[in-house]
Amino acid sequence: MIKRICLSLFTVILFLSFSGVTGLSGEVKQDEKEVLELELPKPMFVGTPTNIRTPNLEKITGKRRGPFYVPKGTKLLSLDKPVTSSDMMPIIGEIEYVTDGEKSGEAGYYVELGPGSQYVQIDLGASYTMHAILVWHYHSQARVYRDVVVQVSDDPDFISEVKTVFNNDHDNSSGLGIGRDKEYIETNEGRLMDPRGVSGRYVRLYSGGNTSNDMNHYVEVEVYGTEVK
Amino acid sequence: MSKKVFAGLFALIVLLGLFFRFSQLDLRPMHHDEANQAVKFGALLERGEYTYDHFDHHGPSLYYLTLPLALASTGKDFADLNESTLRFLPALFGSGLLLLLLLLKSRLGSKAVLFSALFISLSPIMVFFSRFYIQEMLLAFFTLGFIISLWLSLDTKKIHWYITAGFMAGFMFATKETSLILFGSLLGALILLKFFYPSGSKSQHISPSLFSRNILFFLGAAFSVWLLFYSSFFHNINGLWDSIRSLGVYFKRAGEAGAHAHPWYYYLKMLAFSQYGNGPLWSEALVLVSALIGSVSAFTKKAKARHDAAFIRFVFFYTLLSTLIFYLISYKTPWNIIPFYLGMLVLAGCGISFLSDLCQKIWLKSAVLSLIFIGILNLGWQSWRANFIYYADVRNPYVYAQTSTDFLNLIRRVNHIAEVHPEHENMLIKVIADPHMIWPLPWYLREFKRVGYWAETEEAGTIAGTPVIISSIEQTEQIWPLIRDQYLSEFYGLRNEVLLSVHIRLDLWDRFLENRR
């Protein structure tokens, strides 16, 4: 009996000791842990970079845009259509440049609106079903326009029946809702937006400055569509 | 002009200069070169480490002279250092130029000194680079200091001027190794002066006796500055030899200018008349024309009689030679104008003084001086525009490879993301871009403990999972397939035509948006 008790006690002690040891060893391991210090490469010291003052017309990134398919009979609706803006006193150029059909990137072909969030609005004269909207903000320089939002509506004040066809304002800084579209670098190809057949008479395009300055620019906007069936 | 009137007017000009130089020193985003120098200075500040680099970044004086200022204002921690503290040094030396002119009062006359001071105080380019953490304004100060003390030592033969001249020469070389061009121009100017020495000049004893005891004082002072600074105060003796070797490097660079090769008239056009795109007109032609009149004045009988024509001729020859050399060197950047333009600014003051003396009739004098004051007011307006409106705009002729203001939005974004990251400033940031496209990131990210810099995406290890990745557009193309749909990507302007992308892990982005609500 005593022998059994002793054996049991020994087993318990052995078990407890073992657990204790392992527990202790676990604590030791925890104590011995440390933050893995990564040896990250330091910045290289280099001399003055190239000064670029003249426009660089080379494409910065991406491949040429592939074909974009639209229903037969789709036509350009926006050419020479009236344009209004949140800034009716442009700093450079005229609001009419937005739909005058001239897409050159040179000075004299773009309109410059004031800083912050600004829009231009095209009145197509009647409600149309839209199949493509093409926008050139400014393409003689590699830059990205911020908070680009394109909306379509039959209401000239954009209060009711507003349909958003493009929105890359991902932090909602313009207050028109969070957008999921990506930012893009301006090129001479312009940015093609797919309105997916929404209809409306007015197209409003917002932007909130760009990577070069706080101003907003438009070289041309083209709206393609068909008559509402 | 009475002493009191002179003192009052001079004090006003100095105040004007101080206002332009010290106001809003942190306004302009740090330039690539400024950030390079600032990060190098950080090593000296925190660890006492400075090793002269004979390939780049010029001499050690900028770093060592920043040290007491930084220790006094922000302490030993590099993270606490700021733009204003760093730029305080060039602003101080840019202002010091005005005080050096006081030493010329007996040589040039009160009027010439006042007008030279007014030009230096208001010149857009002089103000612009007085607010720029590079060596140029220090070099300008030591060069003018050397010109004046060299002249006074040769003229008066007093030991203290020889010692001052030696220190100034030593500091010129300790600031920029390329000061050798200026030493050459000064030597050439002395030789030319021998041939064209004005007979009636106040200084009639300009004859350097090369073997006199005083020359030893001069050499001793210059040598001690070179020894102390280039050897990092005896911590890097190799620096002494490297400072000599650097001459070969810079000589080669002057010929193979690469991206900084510009036509011979680059500086002339920049100073005389420039306009970029739809930007405003810029011109310091008033200084150029006045300097031309000042140069002519040194060769007229009237000047000989009234002022130290020999000194004006000396400055003219120096300006002419250094201008020619800098025009011929194909490597050109706007800040390289300063050393020779300095001579023009002094001569411009002499020119206006000469013109004013030339006009005998009161109405004519008033009319001429009124026109000049309108020109000076315009210079002041341009200076305001260059330094407080177009300070980072490519339409400003002195803006060169400048970091765009949009870059500060990138830094703000990274800081906001770090705020919602559990490890805050220990958040891992991977920067993947060519070394020419990373600066001034190391300066602005100095508070972050875990920032790595790679030139290629494949060298940067695992990309997915990194909280924030900053990349050049070229590398963005490589990165996108690796992080697709897990990150939000944004673009920011680094410089004109140069963009950077910031890729933020979506969980952090969502937390950031949540936090903003």
Side-chain angles (χ1 to χ4, degrees):
Chain A
M1 184 65 182
I2 294 168
K3 202 179 172 183
R4 269 191 190 172
I5 292 168
C6 285
L7 199 68
S8 304
L9 270 172
F10 178 74
T11 313
V12 170
I13 289 166
L14 196 72
F15 175 75
L16 287 173
S17 309
F18 182 73
S19 335
V21 167
T22 50
L24 189 67
S25 67
E27 277 170 32
V28 168
K29 274 185 185 167
Q30 198 72 34
D31 285 349
E32 284 175 352
K33 273 188 180 175
E34 59 180 15
V35 176
L36 177 64
E37 291 295 342
L38 295 171
E39 189 62 42
L40 298 170
K42 297 268 184 291
M44 273 178 68
F45 291 96
V46 287
T48 313
T50 312
N51 180 50
I52 306 169
R53 206 185 289 275
T54 50
N56 174 15
L57 285 166
E58 273 178 47
K59 269 172 76 67
I60 297 293
T61 185
K63 298 163 185 70
R64 285 193 73 80
R65 189 170 51 232
F68 184 76
Y69 296 96
V70 291
K72 278 188 177 171
T74 298
K75 58 181 182 183
L76 176 61
L77 308 168
S78 54
L79 187 66
D80 294 328
K81 291 287 161 59
V83 183
T84 52
S85 170
S86 53
D87 180 3
M88 286 307 283
M89 301 280 281
I91 298 161
I92 300 169
E94 306 293 335
I95 297 291
E96 289 73 31
Y97 291 179
V98 176
T99 54
D100 67 353
E102 296 283 357
K103 298 163 201 165
S104 170
E106 291 164 38
Y109 293 95
Y110 66 86
V111 58
E112 181 176 87
L113 309 178
S117 186
Q118 301 283 356
Y119 70 81
V120 291
Q121 183 172 319
I122 304 165
D123 178 2
L124 300 175
S127 196
Y128 289 94
T129 302
M130 289 170 212
H131 302 299
I133 298 173
L134 200 48
V135 185
W136 290 264
H137 281 108
Y138 186 93
H139 57 85
S140 61
Q141 189 189 48
R143 55 168 75 165
V144 173
Y145 280 79
R146 298 251 159 74
D147 308 333
V148 175
V149 181
V150 180
Q151 295 180 326
V152 173
S153 180
D154 277 320
D155 176 5
D157 297 321
F158 279 73
I159 294 166
S160 60
E161 297 290 315
V162 178
K163 291 149 249 178
T164 301
V165 299
F166 186 92
N167 184 350
N168 69 12
D169 178 11
H170 44 257
D171 59 358
N172 194 23
S173 46
S174 56
L176 296 164
I178 290 178
R180 294 289 174 202
D181 292 300
K182 290 195 187 312
E183 290 187 337
Y184 59 90
I185 301 171
E186 293 286 324
T187 69
N188 59 342
E189 282 195 321
R191 177 68 180 187
L192 183 68
M193 294 158 186
D194 183 0
R196 294 186 183 85
V198 298
S199 57
R201 174 177 169 173
Y202 302 96
V203 180
R204 188 180 272 195
L205 302 101
Y206 291 88
S207 62
N210 64 81
T211 50
S212 288
N213 52 56
D214 294 335
M215 304 303 172
N216 296 278
H217 306 90
Y218 288 90
V219 170
E220 189 72 10
V221 175
E222 287 185 342
V223 181
Y224 291 87
T226 50
E227 305 265 331
V228 178
K229 286 175 186 167
Chain B
M1 189 181 295
S2 76
K3 275 185 181 176
K4 273 187 183 171
V5 172
F6 175 82
L9 289 173
F10 193 81
L12 271 178
I13 293 168
V14 170
L15 281 176
L16 203 61
L18 292 176
F19 169 75
F20 272 101
R21 278 157 181 81
F22 287 94
S23 306
Q24 295 177 270
L25 272 176
D26 57 351
L27 190 62
R28 186 173 44 76
M30 288 286 266
H31 185 275
H32 171 111
D33 291 4
E34 288 182 290
N36 257 261
Q37 321 253 44
V39 172
K40 274 183 89 70
F41 170 68
L44 178 65
L45 180 71
E46 285 197 323
R47 303 187 295 278
E49 288 172 10
Y50 171 79
T51 307
Y52 170 66
D53 170 10
H54 72 285
F55 282 105
D56 223 325
H57 305 104
H58 296 296
S61 69
L62 180 80
Y63 308 100
Y64 282 107
L65 294 174
T66 310
L67 200 55
L69 278 177
L71 289 173
S73 78
T74 52
K76 230 176 149 34
D77 195 347
F78 179 52
D80 292 339
L81 194 63
N82 55 47
E83 290 88 339
S84 301
T85 304
L86 291 170
R87 289 173 179 161
F88 194 90
L89 186 77
L92 201 64
F93 277 89
S95 311
L97 282 172
L98 300 172
L99 300 182
L100 283 177
L101 291 175
L102 285 176
L103 295 168
L104 295 175
K105 190 168 168 273
S106 60
R107 312 271 150 178
L108 305 180
S110 306
K111 240 184 291 175
V113 166
L114 284 175
F115 277 106
S116 291
L118 198 54
F119 284 132
I120 290 176
S121 159
L122 292 179
S123 157
I125 191 168
M126 292 303 280
V127 176
F128 195 82
F129 290 110
S130 291
R131 304 163 57 86
F132 212 103
Y133 187 62
I134 53 171
Q135 284 82 357
E136 253 47 45
M137 217 31 78
L138 278 70
L139 180 66
F141 177 87
F142 295 128
T143 304
L144 186 61
F146 181 55
I147 291 173
I148 296 170
S149 52
L150 176 72
W151 188 262
L152 293 175
S153 56
L154 295 176
D155 190 18
T156 64
K157 307 282 188 284
K158 285 183 178 163
I159 287 178
H160 68 269
W161 285 122
Y162 277 92
I163 295 171
T164 310
F167 276 124
M168 291 292 179
F171 271 110
M172 277 172 75
F173 190 66
T175 302
K176 268 188 113 171
E177 314 82 335
T178 47
S179 56
L180 213 65
I181 297 169
L182 309 180
F183 288 125
S185 306
L186 285 166
L187 184 68
L190 280 178
I191 293 168
L192 281 172
L193 192 64
K194 274 270 178 204
F195 293 104
F196 299 98
Y197 203 89
S199 51
S201 175
K202 280 184 186 174
S203 303
Q204 294 191 19
H205 313 288
I206 303 302
S207 52
S209 42
L210 280 174
F211 302 104
S212 79
R213 191 172 57 115
N214 291 346
I215 292 291
L216 292 176
F217 284 107
F218 167 80
L219 290 175
F223 181 80
S224 58
V225 174
W226 171 72
L227 187 70
L228 286 173
F229 281 78
Y230 275 106
S231 71
S232 306
F233 289 83
F234 304 112
H235 284 97
N236 173 39
I237 298 299
N238 287 341
L240 299 172
W241 170 235
D242 284 343
S243 71
I244 309 298
R245 284 204 300 163
S246 73
L247 300 174
V249 174
Y250 286 105
F251 184 75
K252 204 172 165 204
R253 194 170 297 164
E256 300 167 1
H260 305 293
H262 295 287
W264 68 268
Y265 54 83
Y266 176 75
Y267 295 135
L268 182 68
K269 184 179 174 293
M270 189 175 284
L271 290 170
F273 179 86
S274 53
Q275 187 182 26
Y276 296 97
N278 57 355
L281 301 174
W282 305 87
S283 173
E284 299 201 28
L286 176 66
V287 176
L288 299 182
V289 173
S290 306
L292 203 64
I293 297 169
S295 306
V296 172
S297 80
F299 294 89
T300 58
K301 283 180 185 171
K302 226 179 179 90
K304 279 182 208 168
R306 299 196 59 174
H307 299 304
D308 195 338
F311 180 74
I312 303 175
R313 283 189 192 186
F314 175 55
V315 175
F316 165 69
F317 288 134
Y318 158 75
T319 308
L320 183 73
L321 292 174
S322 56
T323 304
L324 277 174
I325 296 169
F326 278 103
Y327 272 43
L328 289 173
I329 294 172
S330 58
Y331 184 101
K332 290 184 177 73
T333 53
W335 46 84
N336 281 327
I337 286 179
I338 306 293
F340 66 84
Y341 192 50
L342 189 63
M344 294 187 190
L345 289 158
V346 173
L347 290 170
C350 300
I352 301 291
S353 169
F354 174 74
L355 206 61
S356 150
D357 291 345
L358 211 60
C359 303
Q360 298 291 330
K361 289 177 181 161
I362 295 288
W363 67 266
L364 186 62
K365 190 179 269 198
S366 309
V368 168
L369 287 179
S370 301
L371 278 175
I372 287 161
F373 272 110
I374 291 169
I376 288 171
L377 279 177
N378 176 264
L379 213 58
W381 162 238
Q382 286 189 67
S383 200
W384 175 262
R385 217 168 44 184
N387 292 287
F388 300 97
I389 302 170
Y390 289 82
Y391 53 86
D393 194 310
V394 289
R395 291 171 294 181
N396 175 344
Y398 311 125
V399 160
Y400 192 86
Q402 169 63 39
T403 308
S404 94
T405 49
D406 190 49
F407 176 80
L408 299 180
N409 292 326
L410 181 157
I411 299 302
R412 268 190 283 274
R413 184 69 93 210
V414 174
N415 285 331
H416 285 151
I417 297 301
E419 278 171 22
V420 298
H421 190 279
E423 293 180 71
H424 304 299
E425 75 273 10
N426 284 315
M427 176 179 83
L428 177 64
I429 301 170
K430 290 193 173 185
V431 180
I432 310 170
D434 178 272
H436 278 103
M437 292 183 188
I438 62 162
W439 294 92
L441 276 170
W443 162 256
Y444 283 102
L445 299 179
R446 64 192 181 283
E447 283 179 44
F448 289 90
K449 310 270 189 302
R450 297 172 70 211
V451 188
Y453 296 86
W454 295 268
E456 301 289 339
T457 305
E458 55 262 33
E459 294 166 356
T462 312
I463 298 296
T466 306
V468 171
I469 306 159
I470 302 172
S471 66
S472 62
I473 298 305
E474 197 184 29
Q475 293 305 314
T476 296
E477 299 251 299
Q478 321 275 328
I479 290 168
W480 267 340
L482 305 172
I483 59 166
R484 198 173 287 278
D485 300 331
Q486 301 162 42
Y487 281 75
L488 181 124
S489 299
E490 295 182 309
F491 291 101
Y492 291 94
L494 170 65
R495 294 188 296 272
N496 191 36
E497 296 277 340
V498 183
L499 298 171
L500 285 178
S501 298
V502 179
H503 315 281
I504 301 158
R505 215 173 58 203
L506 274 184
D507 61 309
L508 288 170
W509 177 256
D510 292 340
R511 219 176 294 165
F512 160 68
L513 287 183
E514 192 67 32
N515 218 35
R516 270 190 15 166
R517 285 190 201 123

